[in-house]
Amino acid sequence: QPPLTRQMQQLEEEVGTPLFQRTRKGVRMTNAGQVLFEEARNILFLATRAQERTRMAGLGQSGRLDIGVFGSNILVIPQLLHAFRLQFPEIDVIVHAMNKEKQLEALYDRRVTVGFNLLGLKLAGIANEKVRSEPLMVAINVADPLSKQSSISLKEISDRPMVIFASGPRPNLMDMIFALCLEEGFQPEISQEVVDSVTAVSLVAAGFGVSLVPAAVSQLGLPGVVFRRLNKSPPVTVDINCIYRRDDASPILQAFLKTIRLMRKTHATRVAQPAN
C-alpha cells in the first residue's frame, strides 16, 4: 500500500527514528514505535477529556468555587456545600475564613465567588440570595435562674448585661437587637462587643451576660451555656444570605444559587410540617 508506506516513512522522518521494523513476513513496531503508539493513545484520551471538561465547564459542572465564610455562618452551610458537591463533584470548592469586610474586598477583587452574611447587604454591585431564616434565640449561662425556662422574653433579660456581636456594613445584627430592646422599653447594657457569635457564646459561658444569636449557633453545645427560645410574637428571625457580585454570570455561580434555592424550599417545607 504505497500511500500508507509513504505516510509511515514521513512519520519516521518527523520523529527522527525508525518506528517500524520491516521483514519479509511483514512489519512490526520497534520499541520507539511502541512508545509513540502508547503516547498517541494517551493524547487521544486527553483530547477527549479536555473536550468533555470544557463542555462541563460551560454548563457550570466543573471548575472552582471560592467561598468566604465567617462566624456562625459556617454552622449554616455544611448541608448546602454537601448537596452542591454531591451534584457537582468535578467542581473544586475552596472555603476561605474571612470576616465580612474581607469577604467584600475579595468579592470586588474577584478572589471569591460568594460570601455569607446575616441580614443581607445593600451595596453597589452586590446581590443577596437568602439561604434560610433562623429564629433568634437567647444564649444564657446555666447558672442563671432563667435558664430553667423553656423560653425567655426580652423584658426578662432587660437587667442582664448583654454580649453583642456585630461587624461589617450597617445595619447589622447589633442594630436589630437594639431596636428590639427599645421596642420593649429599655436600652441593653453592653458588657462585651465581639466580632462573631462563637466568641459571644463563649463569653456567655464565662458569665459575661446573655446574648441573642441565630438558632444555628445552638449547635455549638459549649458547656456552661444553654439556648432558649426568644418569647416574642411574632417570632423574631434573621436571614442568612449568600452574597455575590451582580455582574457575575458564571455557570458555576448559577449552579450554586440554584442549589441554595432548592435547599431553601426543602428547609421551608420541613419547618412548616407539623410535629408528630
Side-chain angles (χ1 to χ4, degrees):
Q1 304 179 42
L4 180 59
T5 300
R6 285 197 297 272
Q7 289 177 353
M8 292 164 62
Q9 291 172 343
Q10 289 171 358
L11 184 58
E12 288 176 321
E13 291 175 3
E14 188 173 340
V15 299
T17 187
L19 302 174
F20 305 96
Q21 188 176 36
R22 297 162 180 83
T23 66
R24 291 183 178 180
K25 295 183 178 181
V27 178
R28 65 184 183 89
M29 284 188 289
T30 61
N31 288 337
Q34 185 64 38
V35 169
L36 180 61
F37 172 71
E38 292 173 0
E39 292 297 331
R41 186 162 54 187
N42 290 337
I43 289 170
L44 288 174
F45 169 76
L46 291 173
T48 301
R49 190 178 72 171
Q51 182 182 22
E52 178 62 16
R53 286 178 63 85
T54 301
R55 185 187 69 82
M56 292 175 65
L59 295 174
Q61 297 176 354
S62 71
R64 173 169 168 153
L65 177 68
D66 287 88
I67 296 175
V69 295
F70 180 68
S72 61
N73 293 328
I74 192 63
L75 302 172
V76 176
I77 64 173
Q79 288 182 320
L80 171 62
L81 298 186
H82 183 64
F84 183 75
R85 296 181 69 214
L86 282 178
Q87 189 174 3
F88 302 102
E90 296 298 320
I91 295 179
D92 293 326
V93 178
I94 312 298
V95 178
H96 306 270
M98 51 179 63
N99 63 30
K100 297 172 185 177
E101 290 84 357
K102 295 297 183 182
Q103 283 186 40
L104 285 172
E105 290 178 10
L107 277 172
Y108 285 129
D109 293 343
R110 301 179 183 273
R111 289 183 283 113
V112 300
T113 307
V114 298
F116 289 89
N117 187 67
L118 292 177
L119 306 182
L121 299 176
K122 295 181 180 179
L123 295 174
I126 298 296
N128 299 271
E129 181 72 39
K130 186 173 82 170
V131 178
R132 74 186 197 203
S133 294
E134 288 271 302
L136 204 60
M137 301 189 73
V138 180
I140 190 166
N141 192 283
V142 293
D144 192 306
L146 290 176
S147 68
K148 306 301 186 292
Q149 301 179 183
S150 61
S151 64
I152 301 172
S153 69
L154 285 172
K155 284 188 176 181
E156 289 176 307
I157 58 173
S158 61
D159 60 344
R160 266 72 166 175
M162 189 173 290
V163 181
I164 294 286
F165 69 95
S167 63
R170 312 289 291 268
N172 53 33
L173 187 61
M174 181 172 66
D175 299 315
M176 179 181 178
I177 291 172
F178 263 81
L180 289 170
C181 293
L182 289 175
E183 284 179 9
E184 297 295 328
F186 73 96
Q187 183 169 327
E189 175 195 344
I190 307 302
S191 67
Q192 297 285 324
E193 185 176 333
V194 297
V195 296
D196 65 81
S197 58
V198 177
T199 305
V201 172
S202 298
L203 292 180
V204 170
F208 280 82
V210 299
S211 188
L212 297 178
V213 298
V217 181
S218 63
Q219 300 174 37
L220 290 174
L222 291 178
V225 62
V226 293
F227 299 88
R228 296 293 180 253
R229 179 173 59 86
L230 179 62
N231 186 4
K232 186 172 175 58
S233 183
V236 181
T237 60
V238 292
D239 292 341
I240 288 85
N241 287 271
C242 171
I243 56 176
Y244 59 95
R245 296 184 308 277
R246 288 188 183 278
D247 63 354
D248 189 345
S250 68
I252 290 178
L253 171 61
Q254 299 309 312
F256 189 67
L257 295 178
K258 184 177 180 180
T259 303
I260 288 176
R261 291 162 191 153
L262 180 61
M263 291 286 291
R264 184 175 67 229
K265 183 178 179 181
T266 303
H267 178 74
T269 302
R270 186 170 60 248
V271 170
Q273 289 177 344
N276 294 327

